[in-house]
Amino acid sequence: MGLPIEAVRDDVRQALDARGRAVLSAPPGAGKTTGVPPSLLDAAWLAGRRIVMLEPRRLAARAAAARMAALRREPVGQTIGYRVRQDTKVGPATRIEVVTEGVLTRMLQSDPALEGVGLVIFDEFHERSLHADLGLALCLQARAVLRPDLRLLVMSATLETSRIASLLDEAPVIESVGRAYAVETHWLDRPRDGPVEAAVALAVHRALDAHDGDILAFLPGEAEIRRTAERLTAALVPDPAGVVVIPLYGNLSRAEQDRAIAPSPPGLRKIVLSTAIAETSLTIDGVRTVIDSGLMRVPRFSPRTGLTRLETVTVSRASADQRRGRAGRTGPGFCYRLWTHGEDAGLLERTAPEILEADLAPVALELAAWGVHDPHALRWLDAPPAAAFAQAGELLAELGALGPDGRITEHGRAMVALPVHPRLAHMLLVGV
């Protein structure tokens, strides 16, 4: 059975041919991430140039490249490759590069015209990370000023298509159906009481008894994952020989992350305890049950202290639906939501874009290196808030990254070259 995305691939190709930009809305299971880029390789307008596709997370970037390469029966690094922080697999024959968002920013800063690139794809754009918004704004200006032939495709499962289409000069909107199996959803009878680790562990125990297949449980962060794993390993897994508990979060090694998403060996059930890293772009084969704590961790910037801290918040409806969908990717599944029906009605539709709440010092430094002093000179889906951007400029001036005229200094350019926050970049350079 073919992927649902196959029904609209020609529409995507034609829209990019005729208009140079397009928006693709496709729900989980449609196959957009691994089905669309390879289908465009022989397009006449690409003329042998590369496709660069952005993924919001390193794990998703590597997994997408591996899947596309496997479909071509090639190793990663030939036609399909990836570039993520501290890990690159590309070669002279690579035509599709899957990159994380910070990598695109570096590519644009070193080559604003993106010579040799014919198409930039923004996958899972609904996550609205800071670098995704920045990357799209820079690509739009590069296209307007330097590369009118540079094509742009924005893809997402949950996207405000009319807004993004308007930003892309009324780009065509293509919609694909998904292929998801029915997921039976359960809520709590009363509000959760006690630590989230206890509730997740209890739900895992219940799912092990009630259902077959692997289990994917979402927790807000690494600490909660470790505590839940300790509870399960110590008390709740009835048959340690037949069940394995595996963590999944951003700071794990590549080998540990790959182990979490690999299919379970015959006779072994897998319990994956994950952050939001597994929310989109990944299919963990064998998962029949999702347990959702209803919590996620997001960075929040405090203008009062000038610092960013991680804050645990309730998931949005869009995130909760994405998580539930993980149980229905390969067959009928089950989802246990650790909140009540009443609490469910109060969920926000979607999480606020990071650009509206984050520390804007990194963005301000990138824009200064790009030659832009006023962010309104670029086109944004949501422009950086004026007060936060002004505070970011003041910090950069204190660090010596900006001169009295607001232009970037040599010290500032050296800071841009380091893949860390401007405060840390300044400290490292001064330390040298």
Side-chain angles (χ1 to χ4, degrees):
M1 184 187 301
L3 293 169
I5 202 68
E6 294 174 8
V8 300
R9 287 191 304 198
D10 286 344
D11 296 334
V12 173
R13 181 196 290 251
Q14 291 167 11
L16 291 172
D17 184 16
R19 303 287 296 277
R21 57 207 183 276
V23 178
L24 174 60
S25 176
K32 62 184 181 301
T33 298
T34 57
V36 171
S39 72
L40 301 173
L41 280 176
D42 63 348
W45 48 260
L46 194 59
R49 291 172 297 193
R50 288 174 293 140
I51 295 172
V52 173
M53 180 168 75
L54 277 75
E55 287 293 333
R57 296 180 175 88
R58 287 176 289 168
L59 176 60
R62 290 197 302 263
R67 177 60 179 162
M68 286 188 283
L71 291 173
R72 296 178 66 91
R73 295 181 174 83
E74 294 179 358
V76 177
Q78 290 192 7
T79 307
I80 317 291
Y82 65 79
R83 295 179 189 267
V84 302
R85 187 179 64 187
Q86 299 178 336
D87 188 10
T88 297
K89 277 195 176 181
V90 298
T94 300
R95 297 284 313 285
I96 298 175
E97 291 187 20
V98 189
V99 305
T100 43
E101 292 152 341
V103 174
L104 176 66
T105 306
R106 298 271 65 75
M107 293 171 70
L108 283 160
Q109 292 288 17
S110 62
D111 178 14
L114 288 182
E115 297 295 342
V117 176
L119 168 66
V120 179
I121 301 175
F122 293 80
D123 194 22
E124 305 296 357
F125 191 72
H126 71 273
E127 294 201 13
R128 297 295 308 280
S129 75
L130 201 58
H131 272 296
D133 276 15
L134 173 63
L136 183 57
L138 296 182
C139 280
L140 285 170
Q141 189 176 63
R143 188 175 189 274
V145 177
L146 301 171
R147 285 285 310 282
D149 63 329
L150 179 66
R151 285 165 166 80
L152 302 176
L153 173 62
V154 178
M155 307 195 303
S156 179
T158 56
L159 183 70
E160 299 170 275
T161 54
S162 59
R163 290 189 67 211
I164 189 65
S166 176
L167 179 69
L168 299 180
D169 296 319
E170 304 306 326
V173 176
I174 299 116
E175 296 188 5
S176 170
V177 298
R179 188 175 72 192
Y181 294 88
V183 177
E184 184 179 311
T185 307
H186 302 268
W187 286 266
L188 296 180
D189 294 329
R190 57 180 182 274
R192 186 179 68 238
D193 186 23
V196 66
E197 299 90 344
V200 170
L202 187 61
V204 167
H205 187 54
R206 177 182 174 187
L208 283 171
D209 290 339
H211 313 300
D212 296 326
D214 296 337
I215 298 170
L216 172 61
F218 286 97
L219 288 119
E222 178 181 345
E224 291 86 355
I225 286 174
R226 291 192 177 279
R227 290 194 291 265
T228 303
E230 290 172 0
R231 285 175 177 266
L232 290 171
T233 303
L236 288 177
V237 176
D239 181 9
V243 179
V244 60
V245 179
I246 304 177
L248 180 58
Y249 49 86
N251 287 333
L252 285 173
S253 68
R254 174 184 172 183
E256 290 174 303
Q257 290 183 345
D258 290 345
R259 176 172 172 249
I261 66 174
S264 299
L268 186 67
R269 297 184 68 182
K270 183 170 60 178
I271 302 169
V272 179
L273 306 177
S274 178
T275 61
I277 193 173
E279 196 172 293
T280 57
S281 301
L282 290 175
T283 297
I284 303 178
D285 289 329
V287 168
R288 294 285 307 282
T289 303
V290 163
I291 295 167
D292 189 355
S293 69
L295 300 173
M296 63 190 300
R297 201 151 282 154
V298 297
R300 291 282 168 81
F301 177 65
S302 170
R304 183 178 62 83
T305 63
L307 299 174
T308 297
R309 61 186 176 88
L310 289 174
E311 185 175 315
T312 302
V313 301
T314 302
V315 297
S316 66
R317 185 170 306 285
S319 291
D321 288 344
Q322 287 276 355
R323 294 178 177 192
R324 179 179 60 187
R326 301 294 101 184
R329 295 298 293 268
T330 57
F334 305 88
C335 177
Y336 291 85
R337 289 179 164 172
L338 303 186
W339 62 91
T340 66
H341 255 303
E343 291 170 320
D344 190 75
L347 295 182
L348 296 175
E349 283 301 314
R350 52 181 51 85
T351 306
E354 190 178 356
I355 198 168
L356 299 181
E357 298 182 336
D359 178 2
L360 295 183
V363 170
L365 184 59
E366 294 287 357
L367 291 184
W370 186 256
V372 169
H373 315 296
D374 179 2
H376 291 91
L378 300 179
R379 297 164 62 191
W380 308 84
L381 199 57
D382 292 285
F389 193 84
Q391 185 176 25
E394 292 171 3
L395 171 64
L396 294 178
E398 291 177 8
L399 298 178
L402 302 181
D405 58 356
R407 298 181 182 276
I408 193 167
T409 63
E410 287 303 313
H411 181 61
R413 292 198 179 278
M415 289 168 60
V416 170
L418 298 176
V420 294
H421 188 277
R423 291 179 185 270
L424 296 177
H426 171 71
M427 180 184 71
L428 290 169
L429 293 169
V430 171
V432 171

